[in-house]
Amino acid sequence: MTAFAALHVPGSPLLLPNVWEFGAAAFLSAQGFPALGTTSLGVSAAEGEPDGAPSSKDATVRLARRLTGLDALISVDLADGFSDDPGAVGALAAELAEAGVAGINLEDALGDPALHAAKIAAAKERAPGLFVNARTDTHWLGEPDIEAAIERSRSYVDAGADGVFVPGVAGPADVERLVKATAKPLNLLFLPGKVTVAGLADLGVARISLGSLPYRMALAATLRTVEAVRDGAELPLTPPSYDDVAALLPEAR
């Protein structure tokens, strides 16, 4: 079992913050978070590209290479693998594993499950030690269907997935069914107001991702800060100092 896989403990889930640039990742790593993921929305938006677009692949790989220098295990959100060719997805997985990445996330976007299973199998063949988190979008992009989620998840586990991610699921009964049906670490997305870390832990969840939430909160904090300065109000948060941030950068080490 790899160090990253060992962090996926049912009942004591890994809280995985998702980042979009080096500074945020370095700051979280310095606070002691043992693992970080990237967010396809944040990385793509930072490049001025649509979420998960093939044009964001190079930026994703560049960021991943930078992040592996941090004192944290890194999982990379690859959207659909940036390709419909399982061989290309396998090659990308191998490239990231060689760079020191601990895991990847691959989403099916409700496409052909057989094709997604082939991508997973190719990734595991080319990079056996890489933790492949298989995401199905039954509850994120389609009509919530727990049976479809279980069916897709099982097919991805059969293809070699190390974990299953079903964003959008929140109901305790559905969570429990997924935990029992997949027999692999279950990853869920934190949904503010709908779930809690403690509640998901009690249901046997092994990983909780924050997805694009930190990036979107950063946008909100930016707006609140500018508005506060404009209106002569108190700043909404106390930021780290310039020197604190500068100390996180590689040149300062």
Side-chain angles (χ1 to χ4, degrees):
M1 178 181 290
T2 66
F4 186 59
L7 294 175
H8 294 69
V9 181
S12 181
L14 167 66
L15 180 64
L16 190 72
N18 296 84
V19 299
W20 61 97
E21 50 94 35
F22 182 86
F27 187 67
L28 289 169
S29 175
Q31 310 310 308
F33 287 93
L36 303 170
T38 64
T39 162
S40 65
L41 175 63
V43 174
S44 297
E47 292 292 308
E49 302 288 347
D51 183 17
S55 52
S56 65
K57 173 185 172 182
D58 289 347
T60 299
V61 173
R62 284 196 305 273
L63 177 60
R65 289 183 176 277
R66 293 295 303 278
L67 297 186
T68 56
L70 296 172
D71 186 21
L73 298 168
I74 303 301
S75 180
V76 181
D77 186 354
L78 295 182
D80 65 353
F82 304 114
S83 175
D84 285 333
D85 176 9
V89 176
L92 178 57
E95 177 184 355
L96 291 171
E98 185 176 355
V101 167
I104 59 173
N105 187 74
L106 288 171
E107 60 192 59
D108 64 12
L110 287 187
D112 179 4
L115 174 59
H116 197 60
K119 293 180 182 181
I120 293 165
K124 291 300 294 183
E125 180 180 0
R126 293 292 304 274
L130 200 64
F131 189 102
V132 177
N133 200 42
R135 166 174 159 170
T136 181
D137 287 302
T138 53
H139 288 65
W140 194 249
L141 298 178
E143 292 294 327
D145 186 338
I146 193 63
E147 296 297 338
I150 290 172
E151 182 177 357
R152 283 178 177 258
S153 296
R154 282 177 169 168
S155 71
Y156 303 154
V157 168
D158 290 343
D162 300 287
V164 172
F165 184 22
V166 191
V169 173
D174 286 346
V175 174
E176 288 183 324
R177 288 192 62 189
L178 282 167
V179 168
K180 293 177 181 178
T182 57
K184 288 287 185 178
L186 177 64
N187 179 194
L188 292 184
L189 183 68
F190 179 75
L191 301 171
K194 294 184 178 181
V195 300
T196 64
V197 170
L200 293 180
D202 288 343
L203 296 172
V205 173
R207 170 167 154 183
I208 301 171
S209 296
L210 296 186
S212 65
L213 179 62
Y215 173 71
R216 292 182 288 112
M217 289 297 292
L219 295 182
T222 298
L223 176 60
R224 288 285 304 280
T225 299
V226 174
E227 289 177 335
V229 172
R230 180 195 64 193
D231 300 338
E234 293 291 326
L235 293 179
L237 296 167
T238 301
S241 71
Y242 177 95
D243 288 341
D244 289 339
V245 176
L248 299 171
L249 305 179
E251 293 78 10
R253 295 177 186 173

Short mmCIF file of all heavy atoms in Angstrom, two decimals, residues 95-164:
data_model
loop_
_atom_site.label_atom_id
_atom_site.label_comp_id
_atom_site.label_asym_id
_atom_site.label_seq_id
_atom_site.Cartn_x
_atom_site.Cartn_y
_atom_site.Cartn_z
N GLU A 95 3.55 9.59 -17.04
CA GLU A 95 4.34 10.82 -16.96
C GLU A 95 4.21 11.46 -15.59
O GLU A 95 5.21 11.89 -14.98
CB GLU A 95 3.90 11.80 -18.05
CG GLU A 95 4.62 13.14 -18.00
CD GLU A 95 4.08 14.14 -19.03
OE1 GLU A 95 3.22 13.75 -19.84
OE2 GLU A 95 4.52 15.31 -18.99
N LEU A 96 2.99 11.51 -15.08
CA LEU A 96 2.77 12.12 -13.77
C LEU A 96 3.36 11.28 -12.65
O LEU A 96 3.92 11.81 -11.69
CB LEU A 96 1.27 12.34 -13.55
CG LEU A 96 0.63 13.39 -14.45
CD1 LEU A 96 -0.89 13.37 -14.31
CD2 LEU A 96 1.16 14.78 -14.14
N ALA A 97 3.24 9.97 -12.76
CA ALA A 97 3.81 9.10 -11.74
C ALA A 97 5.33 9.26 -11.69
O ALA A 97 5.93 9.32 -10.61
CB ALA A 97 3.45 7.64 -12.02
N GLU A 98 5.94 9.36 -12.85
CA GLU A 98 7.39 9.54 -12.91
C GLU A 98 7.80 10.87 -12.29
O GLU A 98 8.88 11.00 -11.71
CB GLU A 98 7.86 9.47 -14.36
CG GLU A 98 9.38 9.54 -14.53
CD GLU A 98 9.83 9.37 -15.96
OE1 GLU A 98 8.97 9.11 -16.84
OE2 GLU A 98 11.04 9.52 -16.21
N ALA A 99 6.92 11.87 -12.38
CA ALA A 99 7.20 13.19 -11.81
C ALA A 99 7.00 13.22 -10.29
O ALA A 99 7.31 14.23 -9.65
CB ALA A 99 6.30 14.23 -12.47
N GLY A 100 6.43 12.15 -9.73
CA GLY A 100 6.25 12.09 -8.29
C GLY A 100 4.84 12.28 -7.80
O GLY A 100 4.60 12.38 -6.59
N VAL A 101 3.89 12.33 -8.72
CA VAL A 101 2.48 12.46 -8.33
C VAL A 101 2.01 11.16 -7.67
O VAL A 101 2.37 10.06 -8.10
CB VAL A 101 1.62 12.78 -9.58
CG1 VAL A 101 0.14 12.61 -9.30
CG2 VAL A 101 1.92 14.20 -10.05
N ALA A 102 1.19 11.28 -6.64
CA ALA A 102 0.73 10.12 -5.89
C ALA A 102 -0.58 9.55 -6.40
O ALA A 102 -0.87 8.35 -6.22
CB ALA A 102 0.58 10.47 -4.41
N GLY A 103 -1.42 10.40 -7.01
CA GLY A 103 -2.72 9.92 -7.47
C GLY A 103 -3.28 10.80 -8.55
O GLY A 103 -2.81 11.91 -8.79
N ILE A 104 -4.29 10.27 -9.24
CA ILE A 104 -5.01 11.03 -10.25
C ILE A 104 -6.50 10.81 -10.07
O ILE A 104 -6.93 9.83 -9.46
CB ILE A 104 -4.61 10.66 -11.70
CG1 ILE A 104 -4.88 9.17 -11.96
CG2 ILE A 104 -3.16 11.02 -11.97
CD1 ILE A 104 -4.65 8.76 -13.41
N ASN A 105 -7.27 11.74 -10.59
CA ASN A 105 -8.73 11.63 -10.58
C ASN A 105 -9.21 11.65 -12.03
O ASN A 105 -8.84 12.54 -12.80
CB ASN A 105 -9.34 12.79 -9.81
CG ASN A 105 -10.83 12.65 -9.61
OD1 ASN A 105 -11.28 11.84 -8.80
ND2 ASN A 105 -11.61 13.43 -10.34
N LEU A 106 -9.98 10.66 -12.41
CA LEU A 106 -10.51 10.56 -13.77
C LEU A 106 -12.04 10.52 -13.70
O LEU A 106 -12.61 9.68 -13.00
CB LEU A 106 -10.01 9.30 -14.47
CG LEU A 106 -8.54 9.26 -14.90
CD1 LEU A 106 -8.17 7.86 -15.37
CD2 LEU A 106 -8.30 10.27 -16.01
N GLU A 107 -12.70 11.40 -14.45
CA GLU A 107 -14.16 11.47 -14.40
C GLU A 107 -14.78 10.97 -15.69
O GLU A 107 -14.23 11.15 -16.78
CB GLU A 107 -14.61 12.90 -14.12
CG GLU A 107 -14.20 13.92 -15.14
CD GLU A 107 -14.43 15.34 -14.66
OE1 GLU A 107 -13.87 15.72 -13.61
OE2 GLU A 107 -15.18 16.07 -15.34
N ASP A 108 -15.96 10.35 -15.57
CA ASP A 108 -16.58 9.78 -16.76
C ASP A 108 -17.50 10.75 -17.49
O ASP A 108 -17.86 10.51 -18.65
CB ASP A 108 -17.34 8.48 -16.43
CG ASP A 108 -18.53 8.67 -15.49
OD1 ASP A 108 -18.95 9.81 -15.23
OD2 ASP A 108 -19.05 7.64 -15.00
N ALA A 109 -17.88 11.86 -16.84
CA ALA A 109 -18.76 12.86 -17.46
C ALA A 109 -20.00 12.21 -18.08
O ALA A 109 -20.54 12.71 -19.07
CB ALA A 109 -18.01 13.68 -18.50
N LEU A 110 -20.42 11.09 -17.50
CA LEU A 110 -21.58 10.31 -17.96
C LEU A 110 -21.41 9.78 -19.38
O LEU A 110 -22.39 9.53 -20.07
CB LEU A 110 -22.88 11.11 -17.84
CG LEU A 110 -23.41 11.30 -16.42
CD1 LEU A 110 -24.77 11.97 -16.44
CD2 LEU A 110 -23.48 9.97 -15.67
N GLY A 111 -20.16 9.64 -19.80
CA GLY A 111 -19.89 9.04 -21.10
C GLY A 111 -19.93 7.53 -21.03
O GLY A 111 -20.39 6.94 -20.05
N ASP A 112 -19.44 6.89 -22.06
CA ASP A 112 -19.44 5.44 -22.17
C ASP A 112 -18.64 4.84 -21.02
O ASP A 112 -17.43 5.06 -20.92
CB ASP A 112 -18.82 5.04 -23.51
CG ASP A 112 -18.76 3.54 -23.71
OD1 ASP A 112 -19.26 2.79 -22.84
OD2 ASP A 112 -18.20 3.10 -24.73
N PRO A 113 -19.28 4.06 -20.13
CA PRO A 113 -18.54 3.50 -18.99
C PRO A 113 -17.45 2.52 -19.42
O PRO A 113 -16.44 2.38 -18.73
CB PRO A 113 -19.62 2.83 -18.15
CG PRO A 113 -20.76 2.61 -19.08
CD PRO A 113 -20.71 3.73 -20.07
N ALA A 114 -17.65 1.85 -20.54
CA ALA A 114 -16.63 0.92 -21.02
C ALA A 114 -15.36 1.69 -21.42
O ALA A 114 -14.24 1.23 -21.18
CB ALA A 114 -17.16 0.11 -22.20
N LEU A 115 -15.54 2.85 -22.05
CA LEU A 115 -14.38 3.66 -22.42
C LEU A 115 -13.68 4.17 -21.17
O LEU A 115 -12.44 4.16 -21.10
CB LEU A 115 -14.83 4.84 -23.29
CG LEU A 115 -13.73 5.87 -23.64
CD1 LEU A 115 -12.59 5.21 -24.39
CD2 LEU A 115 -14.33 7.02 -24.45
N HIS A 116 -14.45 4.60 -20.19
CA HIS A 116 -13.83 5.10 -18.95
C HIS A 116 -13.07 3.97 -18.26
O HIS A 116 -11.97 4.19 -17.73
CB HIS A 116 -14.89 5.68 -18.03
CG HIS A 116 -14.33 6.56 -16.97
ND1 HIS A 116 -13.61 7.70 -17.24
CD2 HIS A 116 -14.36 6.46 -15.60
CE1 HIS A 116 -13.22 8.28 -16.12
NE2 HIS A 116 -13.66 7.54 -15.10
N ALA A 117 -13.65 2.78 -18.24
CA ALA A 117 -12.97 1.63 -17.64
C ALA A 117 -11.66 1.34 -18.37
O ALA A 117 -10.65 0.99 -17.74
CB ALA A 117 -13.88 0.41 -17.66
N ALA A 118 -11.66 1.51 -19.68
CA ALA A 118 -10.44 1.29 -20.46
C ALA A 118 -9.37 2.31 -20.11
O ALA A 118 -8.18 1.99 -20.06
CB ALA A 118 -10.77 1.33 -21.96
N LYS A 119 -9.78 3.56 -19.87
CA LYS A 119 -8.82 4.58 -19.46
C LYS A 119 -8.20 4.23 -18.10
O LYS A 119 -6.98 4.38 -17.89
CB LYS A 119 -9.50 5.95 -19.37
CG LYS A 119 -9.98 6.52 -20.70
CD LYS A 119 -10.65 7.87 -20.48
CE LYS A 119 -11.20 8.46 -21.76
NZ LYS A 119 -11.83 9.78 -21.55
N ILE A 120 -9.05 3.77 -17.18
CA ILE A 120 -8.56 3.39 -15.86
C ILE A 120 -7.58 2.23 -15.96
O ILE A 120 -6.50 2.24 -15.35
CB ILE A 120 -9.75 3.01 -14.96
CG1 ILE A 120 -10.61 4.24 -14.66
CG2 ILE A 120 -9.28 2.36 -13.66
CD1 ILE A 120 -11.97 3.92 -14.09
N ALA A 121 -7.93 1.23 -16.75
CA ALA A 121 -7.06 0.08 -16.92
C ALA A 121 -5.73 0.48 -17.53
O ALA A 121 -4.67 -0.02 -17.11
CB ALA A 121 -7.75 -0.97 -17.79
N ALA A 122 -5.76 1.38 -18.50
CA ALA A 122 -4.53 1.85 -19.14
C ALA A 122 -3.66 2.60 -18.15
O ALA A 122 -2.43 2.44 -18.13
CB ALA A 122 -4.86 2.72 -20.34
N ALA A 123 -4.29 3.44 -17.31
CA ALA A 123 -3.53 4.19 -16.31
C ALA A 123 -2.86 3.25 -15.31
O ALA A 123 -1.69 3.43 -14.96
CB ALA A 123 -4.45 5.17 -15.59
N LYS A 124 -3.58 2.24 -14.86
CA LYS A 124 -3.01 1.31 -13.89
C LYS A 124 -1.93 0.43 -14.53
O LYS A 124 -0.96 0.07 -13.86
CB LYS A 124 -4.11 0.42 -13.30
CG LYS A 124 -5.07 1.16 -12.39
CD LYS A 124 -4.36 1.80 -11.20
CE LYS A 124 -3.76 0.80 -10.24
NZ LYS A 124 -3.13 1.45 -9.06
N GLU A 125 -2.09 0.11 -15.79
CA GLU A 125 -1.07 -0.69 -16.48
C GLU A 125 0.24 0.08 -16.61
O GLU A 125 1.32 -0.46 -16.40
CB GLU A 125 -1.57 -1.11 -17.86
CG GLU A 125 -0.56 -1.95 -18.63
CD GLU A 125 -1.05 -2.37 -19.99
OE1 GLU A 125 -2.20 -1.99 -20.37
OE2 GLU A 125 -0.31 -3.06 -20.70
N ARG A 126 0.13 1.37 -16.96
CA ARG A 126 1.33 2.17 -17.18
C ARG A 126 1.91 2.71 -15.87
O ARG A 126 3.11 2.99 -15.80
CB ARG A 126 1.00 3.35 -18.11
CG ARG A 126 0.66 2.95 -19.54
CD ARG A 126 1.86 2.37 -20.27
NE ARG A 126 2.99 3.29 -20.27
CZ ARG A 126 3.16 4.27 -21.17
NH1 ARG A 126 2.27 4.43 -22.14
NH2 ARG A 126 4.22 5.06 -21.11
N ALA A 127 1.07 2.87 -14.85
CA ALA A 127 1.53 3.43 -13.57
C ALA A 127 0.86 2.67 -12.43
O ALA A 127 -0.05 3.18 -11.77
CB ALA A 127 1.20 4.92 -13.49
N PRO A 128 1.31 1.44 -12.16
CA PRO A 128 0.65 0.59 -11.16
C PRO A 128 0.59 1.19 -9.76
O PRO A 128 -0.35 0.91 -9.00
CB PRO A 128 1.51 -0.68 -11.17
CG PRO A 128 2.22 -0.67 -12.48
CD PRO A 128 2.46 0.77 -12.80
N GLY A 129 1.58 2.01 -9.40
CA GLY A 129 1.60 2.56 -8.05
C GLY A 129 0.80 3.82 -7.88
O GLY A 129 0.69 4.35 -6.76
N LEU A 130 0.22 4.32 -8.95
CA LEU A 130 -0.57 5.55 -8.90
C LEU A 130 -1.97 5.24 -8.38
O LEU A 130 -2.61 4.29 -8.84
CB LEU A 130 -0.65 6.14 -10.31
CG LEU A 130 -1.00 7.63 -10.46
CD1 LEU A 130 0.08 8.50 -9.84
CD2 LEU A 130 -1.16 7.96 -11.94
N PHE A 131 -2.44 6.03 -7.43
CA PHE A 131 -3.79 5.86 -6.90
C PHE A 131 -4.78 6.47 -7.90
O PHE A 131 -4.81 7.69 -8.08
CB PHE A 131 -3.93 6.56 -5.54
CG PHE A 131 -5.22 6.24 -4.81
CD1 PHE A 131 -5.24 5.33 -3.77
CD2 PHE A 131 -6.41 6.87 -5.17
CE1 PHE A 131 -6.42 5.06 -3.09
CE2 PHE A 131 -7.59 6.60 -4.50
CZ PHE A 131 -7.59 5.69 -3.46
N VAL A 132 -5.55 5.62 -8.54
CA VAL A 132 -6.52 6.09 -9.54
C VAL A 132 -7.89 6.19 -8.89
O VAL A 132 -8.49 5.19 -8.49
CB VAL A 132 -6.57 5.15 -10.76
CG1 VAL A 132 -7.65 5.63 -11.74
CG2 VAL A 132 -5.21 5.11 -11.45
N ASN A 133 -8.38 7.41 -8.79
CA ASN A 133 -9.69 7.69 -8.22
C ASN A 133 -10.67 7.82 -9.39
O ASN A 133 -10.54 8.71 -10.22
CB ASN A 133 -9.63 8.99 -7.43
CG ASN A 133 -10.75 9.14 -6.44
OD1 ASN A 133 -11.10 8.18 -5.75
ND2 ASN A 133 -11.28 10.34 -6.31
N ALA A 134 -11.63 6.92 -9.44
CA ALA A 134 -12.57 6.89 -10.57
C ALA A 134 -13.85 7.63 -10.20
O ALA A 134 -14.58 7.22 -9.30
CB ALA A 134 -12.89 5.45 -10.95
N ARG A 135 -14.09 8.70 -10.92
CA ARG A 135 -15.27 9.51 -10.64
C ARG A 135 -16.39 9.19 -11.63
O ARG A 135 -16.16 9.08 -12.83
CB ARG A 135 -14.90 10.99 -10.75
CG ARG A 135 -16.09 11.93 -10.81
CD ARG A 135 -15.66 13.38 -10.78
NE ARG A 135 -16.68 14.27 -11.31
CZ ARG A 135 -16.66 15.60 -11.24
NH1 ARG A 135 -15.64 16.19 -10.63
NH2 ARG A 135 -17.62 16.33 -11.76
N THR A 136 -17.60 9.04 -11.09
CA THR A 136 -18.76 8.94 -11.95
C THR A 136 -19.69 10.12 -11.66
O THR A 136 -19.86 10.52 -10.50
CB THR A 136 -19.52 7.62 -11.76
OG1 THR A 136 -20.64 7.59 -12.66
CG2 THR A 136 -20.02 7.41 -10.35
N ASP A 137 -20.26 10.67 -12.71
CA ASP A 137 -21.03 11.91 -12.59
C ASP A 137 -22.54 11.71 -12.61
O ASP A 137 -23.29 12.59 -13.00
CB ASP A 137 -20.63 12.86 -13.72
CG ASP A 137 -19.25 13.45 -13.48
OD1 ASP A 137 -19.06 14.08 -12.43
OD2 ASP A 137 -18.37 13.26 -14.32
N THR A 138 -22.98 10.54 -12.16
CA THR A 138 -24.42 10.27 -12.14
C THR A 138 -25.19 11.30 -11.33
O THR A 138 -26.31 11.68 -11.71
CB THR A 138 -24.68 8.88 -11.53
OG1 THR A 138 -24.01 8.80 -10.25
CG2 THR A 138 -24.15 7.78 -12.43
N HIS A 139 -24.62 11.76 -10.24
CA HIS A 139 -25.32 12.71 -9.37
C HIS A 139 -24.89 14.15 -9.60
O HIS A 139 -25.48 15.07 -9.03
CB HIS A 139 -25.09 12.34 -7.90
CG HIS A 139 -25.81 11.11 -7.47
ND1 HIS A 139 -25.52 9.86 -7.98
CD2 HIS A 139 -26.82 10.93 -6.57
CE1 HIS A 139 -26.32 8.96 -7.41
NE2 HIS A 139 -27.11 9.58 -6.57
N TRP A 140 -23.87 14.36 -10.42
CA TRP A 140 -23.35 15.70 -10.65
C TRP A 140 -23.89 16.28 -11.95
O TRP A 140 -24.21 17.46 -12.02
CB TRP A 140 -21.83 15.69 -10.65
CG TRP A 140 -21.20 17.04 -10.55
CD1 TRP A 140 -20.51 17.71 -11.51
CD2 TRP A 140 -21.22 17.90 -9.40
NE1 TRP A 140 -20.08 18.93 -11.04
CE2 TRP A 140 -20.51 19.07 -9.74
CE3 TRP A 140 -21.76 17.78 -8.12
CZ2 TRP A 140 -20.32 20.12 -8.85
CZ3 TRP A 140 -21.58 18.82 -7.23
CH2 TRP A 140 -20.87 19.98 -7.60
N LEU A 141 -23.97 15.45 -12.97
CA LEU A 141 -24.39 15.93 -14.28
C LEU A 141 -25.75 15.39 -14.73
O LEU A 141 -26.37 15.95 -15.62
CB LEU A 141 -23.35 15.53 -15.35
CG LEU A 141 -21.95 16.12 -15.18
CD1 LEU A 141 -21.04 15.61 -16.29
CD2 LEU A 141 -21.99 17.65 -15.18
N GLY A 142 -26.19 14.31 -14.11
CA GLY A 142 -27.44 13.70 -14.55
C GLY A 142 -28.48 13.67 -13.45
O GLY A 142 -28.35 14.34 -12.42
N GLU A 143 -29.53 12.88 -13.67
CA GLU A 143 -30.53 12.69 -12.64
C GLU A 143 -29.96 11.72 -11.61
O GLU A 143 -29.43 10.67 -11.98
CB GLU A 143 -31.81 12.10 -13.26
CG GLU A 143 -32.54 13.04 -14.20
CD GLU A 143 -33.10 14.25 -13.47
OE1 GLU A 143 -33.48 14.11 -12.29
OE2 GLU A 143 -33.14 15.34 -14.08
N PRO A 144 -30.02 12.07 -10.32
CA PRO A 144 -29.46 11.19 -9.30
C PRO A 144 -30.02 9.77 -9.41
O PRO A 144 -31.23 9.56 -9.37
CB PRO A 144 -29.89 11.85 -7.99
CG PRO A 144 -30.05 13.29 -8.35
CD PRO A 144 -30.60 13.29 -9.75
N ASP A 145 -29.15 8.80 -9.58
CA ASP A 145 -29.54 7.41 -9.75
C ASP A 145 -28.51 6.56 -9.03
O ASP A 145 -27.42 6.31 -9.56
CB ASP A 145 -29.59 7.07 -11.24
CG ASP A 145 -30.12 5.67 -11.51
OD1 ASP A 145 -30.05 4.82 -10.60
OD2 ASP A 145 -30.59 5.41 -12.64
N ILE A 146 -28.84 6.10 -7.83
CA ILE A 146 -27.87 5.37 -7.04
C ILE A 146 -27.53 4.03 -7.68
O ILE A 146 -26.38 3.56 -7.59
CB ILE A 146 -28.39 5.18 -5.60
CG1 ILE A 146 -27.25 4.70 -4.68
CG2 ILE A 146 -29.58 4.25 -5.56
CD1 ILE A 146 -26.12 5.67 -4.55
N GLU A 147 -28.49 3.41 -8.35
CA GLU A 147 -28.20 2.14 -9.01
C GLU A 147 -27.19 2.33 -10.13
O GLU A 147 -26.26 1.52 -10.29
CB GLU A 147 -29.48 1.51 -9.55
CG GLU A 147 -30.50 1.13 -8.49
CD GLU A 147 -29.98 0.07 -7.53
OE1 GLU A 147 -29.03 -0.66 -7.90
OE2 GLU A 147 -30.49 -0.02 -6.40
N ALA A 148 -27.35 3.40 -10.90
CA ALA A 148 -26.40 3.68 -11.98
C ALA A 148 -25.03 4.00 -11.41
O ALA A 148 -24.00 3.59 -11.95
CB ALA A 148 -26.90 4.84 -12.83
N ALA A 149 -25.01 4.73 -10.30
CA ALA A 149 -23.73 5.06 -9.66
C ALA A 149 -23.01 3.81 -9.20
O ALA A 149 -21.79 3.67 -9.38
CB ALA A 149 -23.96 6.01 -8.49
N ILE A 150 -23.75 2.89 -8.62
CA ILE A 150 -23.15 1.64 -8.15
C ILE A 150 -22.65 0.81 -9.33
O ILE A 150 -21.54 0.26 -9.30
CB ILE A 150 -24.16 0.84 -7.31
CG1 ILE A 150 -24.41 1.55 -5.97
CG2 ILE A 150 -23.69 -0.59 -7.10
CD1 ILE A 150 -25.52 0.94 -5.15
N GLU A 151 -23.46 0.72 -10.37
CA GLU A 151 -23.07 -0.08 -11.54
C GLU A 151 -21.79 0.47 -12.18
O GLU A 151 -20.87 -0.28 -12.49
CB GLU A 151 -24.20 -0.10 -12.56
CG GLU A 151 -23.91 -0.95 -13.79
CD GLU A 151 -25.08 -1.01 -14.76
OE1 GLU A 151 -26.14 -0.43 -14.46
OE2 GLU A 151 -24.92 -1.62 -15.83
N ARG A 152 -21.76 1.78 -12.38
CA ARG A 152 -20.56 2.37 -12.98
C ARG A 152 -19.36 2.22 -12.05
O ARG A 152 -18.26 1.88 -12.49
CB ARG A 152 -20.82 3.86 -13.28
CG ARG A 152 -21.66 4.10 -14.53
CD ARG A 152 -21.92 5.58 -14.75
NE ARG A 152 -22.66 5.81 -15.99
CZ ARG A 152 -22.12 6.25 -17.12
NH1 ARG A 152 -20.82 6.50 -17.18
NH2 ARG A 152 -22.86 6.43 -18.20
N SER A 153 -19.56 2.46 -10.78
CA SER A 153 -18.46 2.37 -9.83
C SER A 153 -17.87 0.97 -9.80
O SER A 153 -16.63 0.79 -9.79
CB SER A 153 -18.93 2.77 -8.43
OG SER A 153 -19.34 4.12 -8.39
N ARG A 154 -18.71 -0.02 -9.80
CA ARG A 154 -18.22 -1.40 -9.77
C ARG A 154 -17.42 -1.73 -11.03
O ARG A 154 -16.40 -2.43 -10.98
CB ARG A 154 -19.39 -2.37 -9.62
CG ARG A 154 -19.92 -2.47 -8.19
CD ARG A 154 -21.13 -3.37 -8.12
NE ARG A 154 -21.50 -3.69 -6.74
CZ ARG A 154 -22.64 -4.25 -6.37
NH1 ARG A 154 -23.55 -4.56 -7.30
NH2 ARG A 154 -22.88 -4.53 -5.11
N SER A 155 -17.87 -1.23 -12.17
CA SER A 155 -17.14 -1.51 -13.41
C SER A 155 -15.77 -0.85 -13.38
O SER A 155 -14.80 -1.41 -13.91
CB SER A 155 -17.95 -1.05 -14.63
OG SER A 155 -17.99 0.37 -14.72
N TYR A 156 -15.65 0.30 -12.75
CA TYR A 156 -14.37 0.99 -12.66
C TYR A 156 -13.44 0.29 -11.67
O TYR A 156 -12.23 0.21 -11.89
CB TYR A 156 -14.58 2.45 -12.28
CG TYR A 156 -15.49 3.21 -13.24
CD1 TYR A 156 -16.22 4.32 -12.83
CD2 TYR A 156 -15.63 2.78 -14.57
CE1 TYR A 156 -17.05 5.00 -13.71
CE2 TYR A 156 -16.47 3.46 -15.44
CZ TYR A 156 -17.18 4.56 -15.00
OH TYR A 156 -18.01 5.23 -15.88
N VAL A 157 -14.02 -0.23 -10.59
CA VAL A 157 -13.22 -1.02 -9.64
C VAL A 157 -12.70 -2.27 -10.32
O VAL A 157 -11.53 -2.65 -10.16
CB VAL A 157 -14.06 -1.36 -8.40
CG1 VAL A 157 -13.35 -2.42 -7.54
CG2 VAL A 157 -14.33 -0.12 -7.56
N ASP A 158 -13.55 -2.90 -11.12
CA ASP A 158 -13.13 -4.10 -11.85
C ASP A 158 -12.00 -3.79 -12.83
O ASP A 158 -11.16 -4.65 -13.12
CB ASP A 158 -14.31 -4.70 -12.62
CG ASP A 158 -15.35 -5.34 -11.72
OD1 ASP A 158 -15.02 -5.61 -10.54
OD2 ASP A 158 -16.49 -5.56 -12.18
N ALA A 159 -11.97 -2.54 -13.31
CA ALA A 159 -10.92 -2.13 -14.25
C ALA A 159 -9.62 -1.78 -13.55
O ALA A 159 -8.60 -1.56 -14.21
CB ALA A 159 -11.40 -0.94 -15.08
N GLY A 160 -9.64 -1.71 -12.21
CA GLY A 160 -8.42 -1.45 -11.46
C GLY A 160 -8.42 -0.20 -10.62
O GLY A 160 -7.39 0.13 -10.01
N ALA A 161 -9.54 0.54 -10.58
CA ALA A 161 -9.58 1.77 -9.79
C ALA A 161 -9.29 1.48 -8.32
O ALA A 161 -9.72 0.47 -7.76
CB ALA A 161 -10.94 2.44 -9.92
N ASP A 162 -8.55 2.39 -7.69
CA ASP A 162 -8.20 2.25 -6.28
C ASP A 162 -9.24 2.88 -5.37
O ASP A 162 -9.30 2.55 -4.18
CB ASP A 162 -6.85 2.91 -6.02
CG ASP A 162 -5.74 2.29 -6.84
OD1 ASP A 162 -5.34 1.16 -6.52
OD2 ASP A 162 -5.31 2.92 -7.83
N GLY A 163 -10.03 3.79 -5.91
CA GLY A 163 -11.07 4.46 -5.15
C GLY A 163 -12.17 4.92 -6.07
O GLY A 163 -11.98 4.98 -7.30
N VAL A 164 -13.30 5.26 -5.51
CA VAL A 164 -14.47 5.69 -6.28
C VAL A 164 -14.94 7.04 -5.76
O VAL A 164 -15.01 7.26 -4.54
CB VAL A 164 -15.60 4.65 -6.18
CG1 VAL A 164 -16.87 5.18 -6.82
CG2 VAL A 164 -15.19 3.33 -6.81
#
